[in-house]
Amino acid sequence: MDPDQIAEWLARSRRTVALTGAGISTESGIPDFRGPNGVWTRDPKAEARADLRHYVSDPGVRRAAWRTRLDHPGRTARPNAGHLALAELEALGRLALLITQNIDGLHLAAGSSPERTVEIHGTMRDYVCLDCGARGPMSDALARVRAGEEDPACLECGGILKSATISFGQSLVAADLQRAEEAAARSDLFLAIGTSLMVYPVAWLPERALSNGARLVIINAQPTPMDDRAHAVLRGQIGQVLPDMVARVRARLAAPTG
Ligand code: NAD
Ligand code: ZN
């Protein structure tokens, strides 16, 4: 597919929606789940351990989770060229909503605005109490772990604390899902970037867009189940493909029309 054709679609679009997955953050040093070096590709049992039931019922799982949080690569990761390109697309007025499955906060760190960003699987930047809903910065909870509490309890109610992310076995925040679905249904161009499109219900979103007549563009290193329905599939590295595409959009918008 001619990259200029996609840039043309973007420049003319009024309601572009982007969906990103773990693949946009691998170039920031955070491994994905199902790519060649993915966390689950290398250790399939890790997928089962990610279920909320184990976290709630087994203090050993929680202690291990807190140790993992202490040195998660996402703590020190910086946004890469892909995140910055999407922030620029928004600044150019060509991104109605950014829906991310990522919990690393790197889109917001790159300058995407909170008003136009839905972190549909939550964020690892905060902790939340599973019992009373008390919430605060993850750095506060991690400071307690560093000071010797292996499984810090909620200071309000004594309940179980967890990162403010959606685990398997937990439902999405209804308002976030509704916002994502409505934007997808209204979109005229839908970009699926760095996602294997295997996690539901988020993986339905491109379908919603297509049924409204939107064009679907997939940017992903490996095949996805939606590739044969897409109007364009780009296989390169996101950190190169996306900035190149946005540069073409910028050039088009700057050029005199006529
Ligand atoms: P996934 O692991 O299922 O798929 C990622 C896809 O991105 C793969 O198909 C891979 O080929 C592709 N990819 C990886 N690096 C790429 C690059 N540089 N250029 C182009 N393509 C690249 O990820 P998913 O679809 O997001 O689903 C995994 C779930 O895990 C999500 O729900 C997400 O919440 C969570 N997760 C988040 C993070 C994070 O926050 N950074 C990291 C791992 C997993
Ligand atoms: Zn509590």
Side-chain angles (χ1 to χ4, degrees):
M1 169 59 64
D2 175 11
D4 273 318
Q5 175 63 73
I6 300 170
E8 176 72 15
W9 293 342
L10 268 166
R12 287 176 184 270
S13 160
R14 289 292 166 267
R15 295 177 312 276
T16 295
V17 170
L19 168 68
T20 64
I24 198 171
S25 292
T26 56
E27 290 168 76
S28 292
I30 305 175
D32 60 12
F33 280 172
R34 297 181 188 79
N37 287 313
V39 175
W40 293 345
T41 312
R42 295 190 333 202
D43 177 12
K45 289 202 197 95
E47 184 164 4
R49 285 200 302 270
D51 195 288
L52 182 70
R53 277 171 309 171
H54 300 301
Y55 190 85
V56 171
S57 64
D58 186 344
V61 168
R62 293 201 292 279
R63 288 194 294 269
W66 283 109
R67 284 194 298 274
T68 307
R69 283 174 197 137
L70 270 185
D71 40 42
H72 190 284
R75 299 248 90 73
T76 48
R78 302 294 314 143
N80 66 52
H83 300 104
L84 294 168
L86 285 177
E88 187 185 355
L89 196 62
E90 181 192 333
L92 291 170
R94 287 299 176 281
L95 190 56
L97 191 68
L98 172 58
I99 305 158
T100 186
Q101 301 170 84
N102 295 344
I103 56 168
D104 54 36
L106 291 181
H107 284 300
L108 297 178
S112 287
S113 68
E115 297 75 32
R116 289 192 188 272
T117 305
V118 175
E119 293 177 308
I120 196 125
H121 289 160
T123 177
M124 57 179 274
R125 310 270 155 193
D126 288 345
Y127 72 79
V128 70
C129 171
L130 292 177
D131 295 285
C132 76
R135 190 175 169 126
M138 179 56 87
S139 50
D140 290 0
L142 290 179
R144 293 173 60 192
V145 178
R146 264 187 225 103
E149 292 182 67
E150 291 188 298
D151 178 20
C154 175
L155 294 174
E156 308 287 326
C157 78
I160 293 175
L161 297 186
K162 191 181 90 61
S163 68
T165 55
I166 311 288
S167 301
F168 286 89
Q170 240 180 332
S171 22
L172 301 188
V173 176
D176 288 346
L177 182 59
Q178 189 181 350
R179 212 169 147 219
E181 283 179 338
E182 284 175 5
R186 274 198 311 268
S187 68
D188 54 12
L189 181 60
F190 192 98
L191 311 175
I193 303 165
T195 169
S196 60
L197 294 176
M198 310 239 285
V199 179
Y200 290 87
V202 173
W204 294 119
L205 295 172
E207 197 96 44
R208 294 293 292 268
L210 282 172
S211 60
N212 181 52
R215 286 196 176 96
L216 173 62
V217 175
I218 293 178
I219 306 174
N220 203 61
Q222 291 173 297
T224 82
M226 291 294 287
D227 285 2
D228 52 0
R229 311 267 313 272
H231 297 77
V233 178
L234 300 175
R235 280 267 176 269
Q237 288 293 300
I238 292 164
Q240 290 161 11
V241 173
L242 214 47
D244 174 73
M245 187 185 289
V246 172
R248 288 169 200 265
V249 176
R250 194 196 314 124
R252 262 165 207 281
L253 294 175
T257 50

